[in-house]
Amino acid sequence: MGADPNARVRELLDSYDRPDVCAAELLCDRHPAESVAFTVVEGDLSAVDLTYGELRARSERFAAALAGLGVGPGDRVATLMTKSTDLVVALLGIWRLGAVHVPLFTAFAPPAIAFRLRASAAVAVIADPDQAGKLAPGGDIPADPPWRTVVTGDADIAGTVRLADLPISGAGVPPAAVGGDGLLVQLFTSGTTGSPKGVPIPVRALASFHAYQEFALDVRPEDVFWNAADPGWAYGLYYAILGPLASGTRSLLLHAGFSPELTWQVLRRFGVTNFAAAPTVYRALRAGPPGQPVRLRRASSAGEPLTPEVVAWSADALGVAVRDHYGQTEHGMVICNAWHDDLNATAPDGAMGRSLPGWECTVLADDADIEAPPGQLGRIAVDTQHSALLWFLGYQDEPERSAQRYSDDGRWYLTGDAGARDSDGFFHFSARDDDVIIMAGYRIGPFEVESVLVLHEEVAEAAVVGMPDEIRGEVLEAFVVPRDGVTGNSALEEQLQALVKKKFAAHAYPRRVHFVSALPKTPSGKIQRFLLRDRRRAAAG
């Protein structure tokens, strides 16, 4: 990238937003056949390199097999698969046909799977053998579903067809050119504030994903890059699969479950230099046994804001202070503490960064669609008129819910998050709009209080909610997960209250502290504060 990042944005848009573009060509065929796309790592640390030439040949056969099932352009094909070679091959095969990928997280239970299959009108599901049981008839899965279930591997499972048994046409299938507006993925939001919403992702969104790889993550050709996020969710799909394939940069793909010990081993054994993961990964590394020295050049985090103790720990334990990045399923990453040399800046403590090139974000006042003064808490919004990389135009078949995301004049996309922007353009996250606590006229973001609570050496995690109070309107209550071997008691409660008064604000301490074994979270690791509020209301009865 040169001195003008906006020129690079235009180059990327020219590449990905044309009427004749083909996803398979952009993500695979245009790259040198001998170049490594992924190094797939197993739980025992054995690994195999997967080249673009191998991906092309295998995905061509996969596309031909799907075509034999009647799958064609525009059809929805779901995957219920772990991070693996088979997953990447399946995705490229789907896109080679011009079909649309529907990700299913492997931790989903049958009701969540059935909802997404019905809502997307999927015609086929590609499943790992150990996941196929979730698609068996019963409960939420109909006896005669409108989709075919295709299983990878050699297992013979009733009601499914083995991929290896599908006939393949000798003529092959030419890659479909769907254009920049053609759909690539239909991903569903996590549903924390209602039923999950379908997010249609066009091919031109690849320009934004590619830009994030360069601007924010600063992935370079010589890097060993590893994004540990699961591709069943936006951050993993966009930036562990699509971004690396679009940019042609080698990436690690761990075909194993998460553990702190294994993460340390992979970082060290494979010499990872550029690492991205959710805050929960960094917290788990911090809480577990210390790992051997690693050689990270860049470390990034997304999904929830980073707490200060994680940043401080990472500088020592990882050799680089992890940086916070902000985005949503509907846009990808838009506000970041960017790593690229042309964008690198010293951010204030707790800031999640500035608008990335190609995006223009702001903070709107609470009571009007006008920009709030610097430092004032308000609504984080995306300027639709000045964001060249904007690709989200609304939820699938839900015009009313789509309209709720925009200001009346359509100028601003409303993220649903609250925060502030300082005079230097750095954004500071506060909370989801519905998580903001208003006590005696003061707006309090729970994250700010939570960041203080986890500074206590006996606290593993914390969540703060507002509960009704006759005098103040709302007061703060905290749910705290103690560290292993620690028992929550009144003495610890008093220590935490005093800590918040000391480190944050005297008026914003939690009036009650509830010690719990775990916090409710979405499958992607976000705390579901609304469930904590519901639990307290039910207990108060």
Side-chain angles (χ1 to χ4, degrees):
M1 185 177 70
D4 181 9
N6 292 317
R8 180 57 178 153
V9 169
R10 290 190 293 271
E11 287 179 7
L12 291 171
L13 287 170
D14 287 343
S15 296
Y16 294 103
D17 193 11
R18 303 193 316 269
D20 61 342
V21 295
C22 166
E25 194 274 331
L26 292 171
L27 297 171
C28 179
D29 301 355
R30 65 172 173 162
H31 301 309
E34 68 279 6
S35 293
V36 175
F38 292 96
T39 296
V40 182
V41 181
E42 300 295 332
D44 62 2
L45 298 183
S46 62
V48 61
D49 286 339
L50 183 62
T51 68
Y52 283 102
E54 293 172 287
L55 275 178
R56 179 170 185 169
R58 294 181 62 172
S59 65
E60 285 176 342
R61 291 178 59 83
F62 193 97
L66 287 183
L69 280 180
V71 176
D75 285 338
R76 270 58 171 173
V77 179
T79 59
L80 188 59
M81 306 172 72
T82 58
K83 295 171 280 187
S84 63
T85 297
D86 285 343
L87 173 64
V88 181
V89 169
L91 297 184
L92 285 170
I94 292 167
W95 296 325
R96 196 171 289 281
L97 282 177
V100 181
H101 171 226
V102 179
L104 298 174
F105 185 43
T106 53
F108 279 156
I113 293 170
F115 173 87
R116 287 159 175 79
L117 293 176
R118 289 193 300 266
S120 65
V123 300
V125 188
I126 318 300
D128 288 337
D130 62 351
Q131 294 288 322
K134 297 177 181 179
L135 297 162
D140 295 275
I141 305 295
D144 187 20
W147 57 81
R148 297 287 298 275
T149 300
V150 179
V151 178
T152 61
D154 299 326
D156 189 5
I157 301 172
T160 71
V161 58
R162 293 192 308 174
L163 177 64
D165 294 337
L166 292 177
I168 297 177
S169 169
V173 179
V178 300
D181 289 332
L183 288 191
L184 190 71
V185 177
Q186 183 171 335
L187 181 61
F188 286 83
T189 63
S190 57
T192 56
T193 56
S195 61
K197 303 177 287 291
V199 178
I201 303 168
V203 173
R204 59 186 166 85
L206 292 172
S208 174
F209 304 157
H210 191 153
Y212 175 72
Q213 295 285 122
E214 293 186 10
F215 295 152
L217 296 176
D218 188 34
V219 180
R220 303 179 184 179
E222 65 272 19
D223 268 329
V224 178
F225 174 64
W226 181 25
N227 181 342
D230 193 288
W233 293 98
Y235 193 69
L237 178 63
Y238 297 172
Y239 307 117
I241 302 291
L242 287 168
L245 287 175
S247 59
T249 52
R250 171 182 173 242
S251 176
L252 299 188
L253 202 62
L254 178 61
H255 184 216
F258 169 77
S259 75
E261 295 77 14
L262 181 57
T263 301
W264 282 118
Q265 290 171 350
V266 172
L267 288 170
R268 182 167 173 79
R269 172 72 65 87
F270 293 91
V272 176
T273 59
N274 197 318
F275 183 56
T280 51
V281 170
Y282 292 101
R283 289 197 293 265
L285 292 177
R286 174 177 174 265
Q292 295 295 315
V294 294
R295 50 177 294 219
L296 288 182
R297 185 179 66 85
R298 303 287 190 243
S300 307
S301 175
E304 269 203 304
L306 285 168
T307 46
E309 86 286 353
V310 171
V311 178
W313 163 85
S314 66
D316 179 59
L318 301 177
V320 60
V322 61
R323 290 191 177 182
D324 203 2
H325 295 169
Y326 168 85
Q328 294 191 314
T329 300
E330 292 88 342
H331 299 292
M333 310 311 289
V334 296
I335 298 171
C336 298
N337 286 306
W339 279 110
H340 195 284
D341 289 343
D342 292 343
L343 302 171
N344 205 338
T346 301
D349 290 344
M352 60 187 186
R354 292 169 165 157
S355 299
L356 284 177
W359 296 96
E360 186 62 44
C361 303
T362 193
V363 173
L364 299 178
D366 282 333
D367 53 358
D369 293 332
I370 58 174
E371 295 189 66
Q376 179 175 305
L377 195 63
R379 299 169 294 156
I380 300 174
V382 177
D383 186 341
T384 64
Q385 294 181 7
H386 298 94
S387 296
L389 291 175
L390 180 74
W391 52 263
F392 175 76
L393 298 177
Y395 299 113
Q396 189 75 32
D397 302 323
E398 296 202 59
E400 291 186 7
R401 295 177 84 179
S402 298
Q404 293 171 1
R405 279 300 199 184
Y406 293 90
S407 59
D408 291 341
D409 61 1
R411 167 71 184 277
W412 307 104
Y413 172 88
L414 309 173
T415 65
D417 290 329
R421 183 172 62 167
D422 64 25
S423 57
D424 293 321
F426 287 99
F427 287 77
H428 298 256
F429 181 85
S430 177
R432 292 284 307 173
D433 272 350
D434 53 5
D435 285 337
V436 171
I437 302 160
I438 304 177
M439 186 181 74
Y442 293 100
R443 291 171 58 86
I444 303 168
F447 175 71
E448 295 159 300
V449 182
E450 292 161 2
S451 295
V452 174
L453 291 172
V454 296
L455 294 176
H456 196 286
E457 61 182 6
E458 295 184 352
V459 172
E461 290 189 292
V464 172
V465 301
M467 294 303 299
D469 180 80
E470 185 175 348
I471 303 298
R472 301 174 183 86
E474 286 185 300
V475 293
L476 281 73
E477 294 192 11
F479 292 79
V480 168
V481 179
R483 287 192 175 276
D484 291 342
V486 175
T487 300
N489 52 35
S490 59
L492 181 55
E493 178 179 33
E494 292 173 3
Q495 291 175 29
L496 295 174
Q497 291 169 332
L499 185 63
V500 173
K501 291 179 183 179
K502 179 180 179 181
K503 295 287 189 180
F504 178 50
H507 71 284
Y509 71 93
R511 265 54 179 184
R512 294 190 64 180
V513 176
H514 308 276
F515 295 102
V516 295
S517 59
L519 298 175
K521 297 177 182 177
T522 66
S524 58
K526 295 182 179 179
I527 297 172
Q528 296 175 303
R529 297 182 183 87
F530 73 97
L531 291 180
L532 295 173
R533 289 194 294 268
D534 291 346
R535 186 185 302 173
R536 282 291 294 125
R537 292 190 186 105

